[in-house]
Amino acid sequence: MKPPVAVVVLAAGAGTRMKSALPKVLHPLAGWPMVRHVLENVRRLKPARIVGVVSPGAKDVAAAFAPHPTVVQRQALGTGHAAKAALGALKGHRGPVLVVYADAPLLTTATLQRLIDECRKAKAAVGVLGFVAHDPTPYGRLITNGGMLDKIVESRDADEAEKAVDFCNSGVMCLDGALIASLLGAIRNNNVKKEFYLTDAAAIARAAGHAAIAVEGDEAEFQGINSRAELAVAEKVMQQRLRAAALEAGVGMADPDTVWLAADTKFAADVTIGPNVRFGTGVSVGAGTEIKAFCDIEGVRIGRDAIIGPFARIRPGSDVADRVHIGNFVELKATRMGRGAKANHLAYLGDSDIGAASNIGAGTIAVNYDGYGKWRTVIGADAFVGSNSSLIAPVRVGAGANITAGSVITDDVPAGAIAFGRARQVTKKGRAAALRAKLKARAAAAKRAKKS
Amino acid sequence: MKPPVAVVVLAAGAGTRMKSALPKVLHPLAGWPMVRHVLENVRRLKPARIVGVVSPGAKDVAAAFAPHPTVVQRQALGTGHAAKAALGALKGHRGPVLVVYADAPLLTTATLQRLIDECRKAKAAVGVLGFVAHDPTPYGRLITNGGMLDKIVESRDADEAEKAVDFCNSGVMCLDGALIASLLGAIRNNNVKKEFYLTDAAAIARAAGHAAIAVEGDEAEFQGINSRAELAVAEKVMQQRLRAAALEAGVGMADPDTVWLAADTKFAADVTIGPNVRFGTGVSVGAGTEIKAFCDIEGVRIGRDAIIGPFARIRPGSDVADRVHIGNFVELKATRMGRGAKANHLAYLGDSDIGAASNIGAGTIAVNYDGYGKWRTVIGADAFVGSNSSLIAPVRVGAGANITAGSVITDDVPAGAIAFGRARQVTKKGRAAALRAKLKARAAAAKRAKKS
Amino acid sequence: MKPPVAVVVLAAGAGTRMKSALPKVLHPLAGWPMVRHVLENVRRLKPARIVGVVSPGAKDVAAAFAPHPTVVQRQALGTGHAAKAALGALKGHRGPVLVVYADAPLLTTATLQRLIDECRKAKAAVGVLGFVAHDPTPYGRLITNGGMLDKIVESRDADEAEKAVDFCNSGVMCLDGALIASLLGAIRNNNVKKEFYLTDAAAIARAAGHAAIAVEGDEAEFQGINSRAELAVAEKVMQQRLRAAALEAGVGMADPDTVWLAADTKFAADVTIGPNVRFGTGVSVGAGTEIKAFCDIEGVRIGRDAIIGPFARIRPGSDVADRVHIGNFVELKATRMGRGAKANHLAYLGDSDIGAASNIGAGTIAVNYDGYGKWRTVIGADAFVGSNSSLIAPVRVGAGANITAGSVITDDVPAGAIAFGRARQVTKKGRAAALRAKLKARAAAAKRAKKS
């Protein structure tokens, strides 16, 4: 049996170009902190260990690695120094050690697996992922010879022949676990920046008579993120991957470029999504459901054959059963809608439980907050809540009850009852003209007062 | 006089890659089922007949062809076999017969007309539409010689010289109505897939001493649709055509890429449309009207100098007169707004008739549904409906009437009357502190109960 | 000291291809009339004078130049004729005179400054901005020789050697103020169109023994706007510039392509903006504030650490303090929200003043309009306004007051008071079934009536 892999994730970069109080690797991408994408991708390699390397005081970054351990790189002395900080946590590990970057979340599991496999095949002490660069100017070049990686030459140190090479260094490496300590130990900082470059491990391995190889990946996967603009580009790439997968699975999207997916969004086949729909994390959508334009949906399981939107907003903690309709300008928050229940127009249902086939009228508010506590509204099956009603939680409305439009419901309503809480209409014939004259005069007086 | 054309529309493809219960050619494109675009395009040729070829049991597809007849292709034995299924329906037709595809809706009438014209000029038994392919690899090549089409070579059967040809077969053909039966009858299925290829008609015609020609079109028009991703690409092309035509006609759009049009959307000049507006089918918009950002509009005639949105939603069956204002979070459904009427904020007007110059206050709900029937609200001219009112339909409010804010209106209000249906305000001085203490204690108790 | 520059802005073009009643140069771009971008760009040159040239009767265009004077070009006889119309307004000016176009708003101050500097260095009578055209076909060519501009050849008059030149004329010129009158006076209209071309000034200057130069700029900056489609392209370029600057300044945007900025939008660092947010003019946003998806925001200062949206609409005249929350389907108009105040769901707050830490319940309407006048609602700090309340302005609610859900508030509420204006709930047990039977029968009868 092959010894398992270990992964070191370098996450100690400063990220100053983001101009943000939030650590760079915690900035969101498809709804997840950037580093989580890297962790999910390396987890699929089924590694024996994952170790994060973080900068001093970066508690939130360390927390994002949990349950995986992190070590602190005390000073920012280069990638070689950062990798060395992980050696303690790798003690006893004999298999390959992958070194990846928390700010390069587009690198796929498949490419990493290929690097590991090639290293095993070549019994290489060091393997480096490279890419053929569209513009190689800024990158270190991978100088190979007969299948072996001879050395990695920094762009500024390259001679003319080396500059002509367009096979570039991604920085992602696979090192032999039995040799990693000695390889990293041999890296020196005799360079302009006085930093220890992980890159040097390749030449060190070759000098010691070991094999070193370079494995090619697609340039797009190695995009690192150092600025808000680069983050936006990575988000676009990520979204295009997610959208392509959804289309392939049978999701209909009139304009996929305007559907924003989270890394964990789940769709059954024959879901239809209009333009301009944003999915936060934690959403699953059942077969045959249509989500119309302009929706914002997060943290909800939506059943089959439901109709959502346009202009619907569903917040976390919700559950929407089969055949439910949620219409325009309706907000659900931590609300369960039973099978076939409807809330089609202008409503706020917070902390509510709406029974199957119940109808919630336009303008209904589940009044869940009193300034101090949040309370639940529980409505049974087949109830009818009239428009513009206010349900003062905690309150229960029984199955089959009718609430008359415009009512304020403060007390529980038994099943099968009618409840109303509204004043009787009074009509004063012919009186509008006098009222209007009064209002008109008031407006005119205010206008005069403003002028003077 | 030239004999008229007949058109055979092949619509029997399986469409399994769509992963949808909906037949492929019924998937919407710019608001219409895909096949309807093809039908509209060929109708403009003023053909004597249009015949659809559908697969067994495809009732919905056949219905989409109405009033044109369809024939059933019993088995999926290739395009030649499908075209042959239409021969019965073509009996007696002597003019050109065009064979087009229901899943290639981007092909324009002008290109089809050109094919017919060239065939007539050349007295060709067979004419084929071809295109110069960006990447010819997957396509059959059109081998021409001195203006004549010699043969169509499938990609896998092409020799090196033929592979170098980038003039490719679209599959769209025009056949001489007097010869079509014999040409189709001569097609054989002696190939790997055991299918009858319509393509073979060209070589068959030449072998029989007839003329065959190839006519070039633009590759973009021949994009077929086999997957959700290809459907999304076709939608983008269609939208770009529609947007370009609207801009050309004097419609202002700040970001045309975020305006979704239907195939039948009609604009006067000097209409202005903000970003993110979706038009469903059946919309016309008058001159000088502004539609602000984030609107969803379907099935409505909108007059001149109206202001719609942002965040307005108009549903089918509505009519919005000149100078009407529809503001944010307002929904109209099957509602007529008279000249200069206004509903500027958070309202639902369903099945309503709002008189000219009337003002509908924020939060107003026309309560059109009682759980069983839908009822109309009719409001006269120059009425004033106060905010947060509920109008319980069926109900009539006369011209010049005033409804006080917060009222529930259950009975008709005569013209010029004032109506109110709300409780009088009661103020309890200095009592908020005690209420808040009670609410705070309740919240604290609930929190304790949760913990224990 | 160098003599200051004067700027002539040509704004007399007809703009017929826009198909709009609005003069072309007043069409909006990033929220400003097109010509204002040109004016802001030339103002940064600190010119001694700016003179607009407008067509007869173009009062709105002239007003857009204020406080800068405009002159009227009586007849549309070409750019040379238009520039000549400005000579009176330039009387006494001896420094360089820049001639720019009101319909080319993408030209930057930096490029103009470079033209002026190069003209000064070369003591040129005429300097022309040119660009290397992607497709030079439609443009006049700049024929240079040893650093001097020999002549400008119109495309149709160019010989083969001249046609091979891809350095093209932008039309933007810098003329020596001491010579401008004689140069313009020498331009003749002996051409097909019988127009006076400003372009001819270059050859005239050279013929008179003066220096003339051409200065290269980026083609993208010279994009003129003649149609709705070109306006949309310019808007896209403008938006990309504004978005790039915002990202660079530390603004996070998940999808920058769907954030529409105004020319004057101001952001602190660490602002986060979701997809689909439109900013009108006059917005500034403080550090740490998050603006979620689907918002439309105009004319408001927003403080630090606020949370806005999704689906929020803020209209001009508003002020949103630190830590305020504005949630979905909420509209603010000319409303001040004090520090930490919240309006999280479905509300209209117009002409209101909401005190710090106050909570506005879902469905609340500040009823600011009575059909004649607009009135203010003033709410003190730490007030609690229950859901679905209507506040009939003018009205004041004191600090720490509680308004019960569903109330209509017509009278001022003192600080610390409780106010309610709603009916008491009445519950009729077991009566829903009979009501439903009645409603069902009514619906059935209506259906029958319709059929018959």
Side-chain angles (χ1 to χ4, degrees):
Chain A
M1 208 184 106
K2 287 176 281 190
V5 73
V7 182
V8 176
V9 181
L10 302 190
T16 48
R17 283 180 57 203
M18 299 295 284
K19 294 180 187 162
S20 176
L22 187 71
K24 182 172 76 174
V25 300
L26 299 185
H27 275 261
L29 203 60
W32 283 353
M34 196 188 297
V35 63
R36 184 168 167 192
H37 290 274
V38 175
L39 290 172
E40 296 284 339
N41 286 344
V42 299
R43 267 177 205 147
R44 283 191 213 103
L45 298 168
K46 301 194 190 305
R49 315 181 196 187
I50 294 177
V51 181
V53 179
V54 304
S55 54
K59 280 183 195 169
D60 292 347
V61 176
F65 273 92
H68 308 293
T70 53
V71 297
V72 173
Q73 182 190 16
R74 298 274 155 218
Q75 280 179 283
L77 298 177
T79 48
H81 181 259
K84 230 162 115 177
L87 282 180
L90 293 171
K91 202 154 279 179
H93 177 81
R94 310 298 297 173
V97 178
L98 213 53
V99 181
V100 300
Y101 300 85
D103 63 355
L106 298 174
L107 184 53
T108 59
T109 305
T111 301
L112 290 170
Q113 187 64 60
R114 216 149 40 75
L115 174 63
I116 297 165
D117 294 347
E118 297 285 327
C119 283
R120 281 181 166 139
K121 214 195 299 176
K123 298 192 200 305
V126 174
V128 180
L129 277 178
F131 58 95
V132 174
H134 183 73
D135 172 16
T137 317
Y139 303 109
R141 309 301 204 286
L142 299 180
I143 310 301
T144 55
N145 190 354
M148 278 290 123
L149 174 63
D150 272 359
K151 55 179 175 176
I152 305 177
V153 184
E154 292 307 305
S155 195
R156 61 172 171 278
D157 303 330
D159 62 28
E160 284 311 301
E162 289 162 349
K163 268 185 181 144
V165 172
D166 62 358
F167 189 31
C168 296
N169 177 27
S170 75
V172 176
M173 296 180 84
C174 182
L175 300 114
D176 182 333
L179 298 171
I180 187 168
S182 69
L183 290 170
L184 297 185
I187 297 176
R188 293 290 166 263
N189 70 341
N190 46 358
N191 54 49
V192 176
K193 286 193 163 179
K194 298 284 168 215
E195 288 192 356
F196 298 84
Y197 296 125
L198 182 56
T199 299
D200 291 353
I204 291 167
R206 291 303 303 278
H210 300 297
I213 61 168
V215 173
E216 189 184 331
D218 179 358
E219 181 171 14
E221 292 197 8
F222 299 109
Q223 166 77 50
I225 296 173
N226 292 300
S227 68
R228 301 277 195 172
E230 287 174 2
L231 178 64
V233 168
E235 178 79 44
K236 204 177 270 283
V237 172
M238 195 73 88
Q239 290 296 336
Q240 277 159 354
R241 288 184 188 172
L242 294 168
R243 291 161 185 160
L247 288 165
E248 185 55 36
V251 174
M253 295 191 255
D255 190 345
D257 291 348
T258 65
V259 176
W260 293 273
L261 302 168
D264 64 352
T265 312
K266 286 184 189 64
F267 295 112
D270 247 343
V271 167
T272 304
I273 304 173
N276 278 327
V277 175
R278 193 193 78 90
F279 291 92
T281 53
V283 177
S284 71
V285 184
T289 286
E290 179 179 7
I291 298 176
K292 300 190 176 197
F294 306 110
C295 289
D296 193 286
I297 296 176
E298 186 165 352
V300 60
R301 184 201 69 95
I302 300 174
R304 301 172 61 99
D305 299 316
I307 300 176
I308 311 290
F311 301 108
R313 202 249 178 134
I314 305 183
R315 294 167 58 193
S318 297
D319 189 279
V320 168
D322 298 350
R323 302 191 172 277
V324 161
H325 293 190
I326 307 288
N328 41 207
F329 319 125
V330 173
E331 173 189 1
L332 298 193
K333 178 229 148 187
T335 284
R336 196 189 71 82
M337 299 281 292
R339 180 183 170 89
K342 293 181 187 166
N344 271 330
H345 331 263
L346 297 95
Y348 170 50
L349 299 174
D351 301 311
S352 302
D353 198 323
I354 312 296
S358 283
N359 190 90
I360 305 298
T364 296
I365 309 289
V367 184
N368 61 329
Y369 183 55
D370 57 17
Y372 298 94
K374 300 260 166 119
W375 307 95
R376 291 197 72 82
T377 296
V378 179
I379 297 178
D382 195 30
F384 185 87
V385 176
S387 294
N388 256 340
S389 295
S390 307
L391 305 158
I392 315 293
V395 71
R396 306 182 76 90
V397 175
N402 266 48
I403 289 171
T404 307
S407 296
V408 179
I409 298 303
T410 51
D411 302 320
D412 288 354
V413 177
I418 296 178
F420 48 90
R422 71 183 192 199
R424 192 174 285 266
Q425 177 180 339
V426 177
T427 305
K428 309 248 177 185
K429 289 197 183 165
R431 293 273 280 274
L435 171 65
R436 290 179 174 213
K438 211 179 77 179
L439 296 173
K440 203 170 175 177
R442 182 171 71 158
K447 215 172 172 180
R448 279 194 306 271
K450 226 180 204 167
K451 275 188 187 156
S452 69
Chain B
M1 212 185 104
K2 288 177 282 192
V5 73
V7 182
V8 176
V9 181
L10 303 189
T16 48
R17 283 180 56 203
M18 299 296 284
K19 293 178 188 165
S20 176
L22 187 71
K24 181 172 75 173
V25 301
L26 298 186
H27 276 260
L29 203 60
W32 283 354
M34 197 189 297
V35 63
R36 183 167 167 193
H37 291 273
V38 176
L39 290 172
E40 296 285 338
N41 287 344
V42 299
R43 268 175 206 149
R44 284 191 211 101
L45 298 167
K46 302 194 189 305
R49 318 183 193 183
I50 294 176
V51 181
V53 180
V54 304
S55 54
K59 279 184 195 170
D60 293 345
V61 176
F65 274 92
H68 307 293
T70 52
V71 297
V72 174
Q73 182 190 15
R74 298 275 155 217
Q75 279 180 282
L77 298 178
T79 48
H81 182 258
K84 230 161 113 177
L87 283 179
L90 293 170
K91 201 155 283 180
H93 177 81
R94 309 298 297 173
V97 178
L98 213 54
V99 181
V100 300
Y101 300 86
D103 63 355
L106 298 173
L107 184 54
T108 61
T109 306
T111 301
L112 289 170
Q113 186 64 61
R114 217 150 39 73
L115 173 62
I116 296 166
D117 293 347
E118 297 285 327
C119 282
R120 280 179 168 142
K121 214 194 301 176
K123 297 191 200 306
V126 173
V128 180
L129 277 178
F131 58 94
V132 174
H134 184 72
D135 171 16
T137 317
Y139 304 109
R141 308 301 203 287
L142 300 179
I143 309 302
T144 55
N145 190 353
M148 277 291 122
L149 173 64
D150 272 359
K151 54 179 174 175
I152 305 177
V153 185
E154 291 308 303
S155 196
R156 63 173 170 276
D157 302 331
D159 61 29
E160 283 312 300
E162 289 162 349
K163 267 184 182 147
V165 172
D166 62 358
F167 189 31
C168 296
N169 177 28
S170 76
V172 177
M173 295 179 85
C174 181
L175 300 115
D176 182 333
L179 299 170
I180 186 167
S182 69
L183 290 170
L184 297 184
I187 296 175
R188 292 288 166 265
N189 69 342
N190 48 356
N191 52 50
V192 176
K193 288 193 163 181
K194 298 282 167 216
E195 289 193 357
F196 298 86
Y197 296 125
L198 183 56
T199 300
D200 291 354
I204 290 167
R206 290 303 303 278
H210 300 295
I213 60 169
V215 174
E216 188 184 332
D218 179 359
E219 182 172 14
E221 292 196 8
F222 299 108
Q223 166 76 51
I225 297 173
N226 293 301
S227 67
R228 301 276 194 175
E230 287 174 1
L231 178 64
V233 168
E235 178 78 47
K236 204 177 272 281
V237 171
M238 196 71 89
Q239 290 295 337
Q240 277 161 354
R241 287 182 188 173
L242 294 168
R243 290 162 185 159
L247 288 165
E248 186 57 35
V251 174
M253 295 191 254
D255 190 345
D257 291 349
T258 66
V259 176
W260 294 273
L261 302 168
D264 64 352
T265 312
K266 285 185 189 64
F267 295 113
D270 247 343
V271 167
T272 304
I273 304 172
N276 278 327
V277 175
R278 192 192 79 91
F279 292 91
T281 53
V283 177
S284 72
V285 184
T289 285
E290 180 179 5
I291 298 175
K292 300 191 176 196
F294 306 109
C295 289
D296 194 285
I297 296 177
E298 187 165 352
V300 59
R301 185 201 68 97
I302 299 175
R304 303 172 59 99
D305 299 315
I307 301 177
I308 311 292
F311 301 107
R313 203 253 178 130
I314 304 184
R315 294 167 59 193
S318 297
D319 188 279
V320 167
D322 298 350
R323 303 190 172 276
V324 161
H325 293 191
I326 306 289
N328 41 210
F329 318 125
V330 173
E331 173 189 2
L332 298 193
K333 179 231 148 184
T335 284
R336 196 190 70 82
M337 298 283 290
R339 181 183 169 89
K342 293 181 189 166
N344 272 329
H345 331 262
L346 297 95
Y348 170 50
L349 299 174
D351 301 311
S352 302
D353 197 323
I354 312 296
S358 283
N359 189 91
I360 304 299
T364 297
I365 308 289
V367 183
N368 61 330
Y369 183 57
D370 58 14
Y372 297 93
K374 300 259 167 122
W375 307 95
R376 291 196 73 81
T377 295
V378 180
I379 297 178
D382 196 31
F384 185 87
V385 177
S387 296
N388 256 340
S389 295
S390 307
L391 304 158
I392 314 295
V395 71
R396 307 181 75 91
V397 174
N402 266 47
I403 289 170
T404 306
S407 296
V408 178
I409 298 302
T410 51
D411 301 321
D412 288 355
V413 178
I418 296 177
F420 48 90
R422 70 186 192 197
R424 192 174 285 265
Q425 177 181 338
V426 176
T427 306
K428 308 246 177 187
K429 289 198 184 165
R431 293 273 279 274
L435 171 64
R436 289 180 175 212
K438 211 179 78 181
L439 296 173
K440 204 168 172 176
R442 182 171 71 159
K447 215 172 170 180
R448 279 194 306 273
K450 226 181 203 166
K451 275 188 187 156
S452 68
Chain C
M1 209 185 105
K2 288 176 282 191
V5 73
V7 182
V8 176
V9 181
L10 303 189
T16 47
R17 284 180 55 204
M18 300 294 285
K19 293 179 189 163
S20 177
L22 187 70
K24 181 173 75 174
V25 300
L26 299 185
H27 275 260
L29 203 61
W32 283 354
M34 197 189 295
V35 63
R36 184 167 168 192
H37 290 274
V38 175
L39 289 173
E40 296 285 340
N41 286 346
V42 299
R43 269 176 204 147
R44 283 190 212 105
L45 299 167
K46 301 194 189 305
R49 316 181 195 186
I50 295 176
V51 181
V53 180
V54 304
S55 55
K59 279 184 195 169
D60 292 347
V61 176
F65 273 92
H68 308 292
T70 52
V71 296
V72 173
Q73 182 190 15
R74 298 276 153 215
Q75 280 180 283
L77 299 177
T79 49
H81 182 259
K84 231 161 114 176
L87 282 180
L90 294 171
K91 201 153 282 180
H93 177 80
R94 309 299 297 173
V97 178
L98 213 55
V99 181
V100 300
Y101 300 85
D103 63 354
L106 298 173
L107 183 53
T108 60
T109 307
T111 300
L112 289 170
Q113 187 64 60
R114 216 148 41 73
L115 174 62
I116 297 166
D117 293 347
E118 297 284 328
C119 282
R120 280 178 168 143
K121 215 194 301 176
K123 296 190 202 306
V126 173
V128 180
L129 278 178
F131 57 95
V132 174
H134 184 73
D135 171 16
T137 317
Y139 303 110
R141 309 300 204 287
L142 300 179
I143 309 302
T144 57
N145 189 354
M148 277 292 120
L149 175 64
D150 273 358
K151 55 178 176 176
I152 305 177
V153 184
E154 291 308 304
S155 197
R156 61 173 171 276
D157 303 329
D159 61 27
E160 282 313 300
E162 289 162 348
K163 268 185 181 146
V165 172
D166 62 357
F167 189 30
C168 296
N169 177 28
S170 75
V172 178
M173 295 180 85
C174 181
L175 299 115
D176 183 332
L179 300 171
I180 187 168
S182 69
L183 290 170
L184 298 185
I187 297 175
R188 294 288 165 264
N189 69 342
N190 46 358
N191 53 50
V192 176
K193 286 193 163 181
K194 297 285 168 213
E195 288 193 358
F196 298 85
Y197 296 124
L198 183 56
T199 300
D200 291 353
I204 291 167
R206 288 305 302 279
H210 300 297
I213 62 168
V215 174
E216 188 184 331
D218 179 358
E219 181 171 12
E221 292 197 6
F222 299 108
Q223 166 76 53
I225 296 173
N226 292 302
S227 68
R228 301 276 194 174
E230 287 174 1
L231 178 64
V233 168
E235 178 79 46
K236 204 177 271 283
V237 172
M238 195 71 88
Q239 290 296 336
Q240 276 160 354
R241 288 183 188 173
L242 294 168
R243 291 162 185 158
L247 288 165
E248 185 57 35
V251 174
M253 294 191 256
D255 189 345
D257 291 349
T258 65
V259 176
W260 293 273
L261 301 168
D264 65 351
T265 312
K266 286 185 188 64
F267 295 112
D270 247 343
V271 167
T272 305
I273 305 172
N276 277 328
V277 175
R278 193 193 78 92
F279 291 93
T281 54
V283 177
S284 71
V285 184
T289 286
E290 179 178 7
I291 299 175
K292 301 191 177 197
F294 306 110
C295 290
D296 193 285
I297 296 177
E298 186 164 354
V300 60
R301 183 200 70 93
I302 299 175
R304 303 171 59 99
D305 299 315
I307 301 175
I308 311 291
F311 302 108
R313 202 252 177 130
I314 305 185
R315 293 167 59 192
S318 296
D319 188 280
V320 167
D322 299 350
R323 302 189 172 279
V324 161
H325 294 190
I326 307 287
N328 41 210
F329 318 126
V330 173
E331 173 189 3
L332 298 193
K333 178 232 149 184
T335 284
R336 195 189 71 81
M337 297 283 290
R339 180 182 168 88
K342 293 182 188 165
N344 271 330
H345 331 263
L346 298 95
Y348 170 50
L349 299 174
D351 301 312
S352 302
D353 197 323
I354 312 296
S358 282
N359 189 91
I360 305 298
T364 297
I365 309 288
V367 183
N368 61 330
Y369 183 56
D370 58 15
Y372 297 94
K374 299 261 165 121
W375 307 95
R376 290 198 73 80
T377 295
V378 180
I379 297 178
D382 195 31
F384 185 87
V385 176
S387 294
N388 256 341
S389 295
S390 308
L391 305 158
I392 315 294
V395 71
R396 308 182 73 92
V397 175
N402 267 47
I403 289 171
T404 306
S407 296
V408 178
I409 298 302
T410 52
D411 301 321
D412 288 354
V413 178
I418 295 177
F420 48 89
R422 70 184 194 200
R424 193 174 285 267
Q425 177 181 339
V426 176
T427 305
K428 309 247 177 185
K429 292 198 185 167
R431 294 272 279 274
L435 170 65
R436 291 180 173 210
K438 211 180 77 181
L439 296 173
K440 204 168 173 177
R442 182 172 71 158
K447 216 171 170 181
R448 280 195 304 273
K450 225 180 204 167
K451 275 188 188 155
S452 70

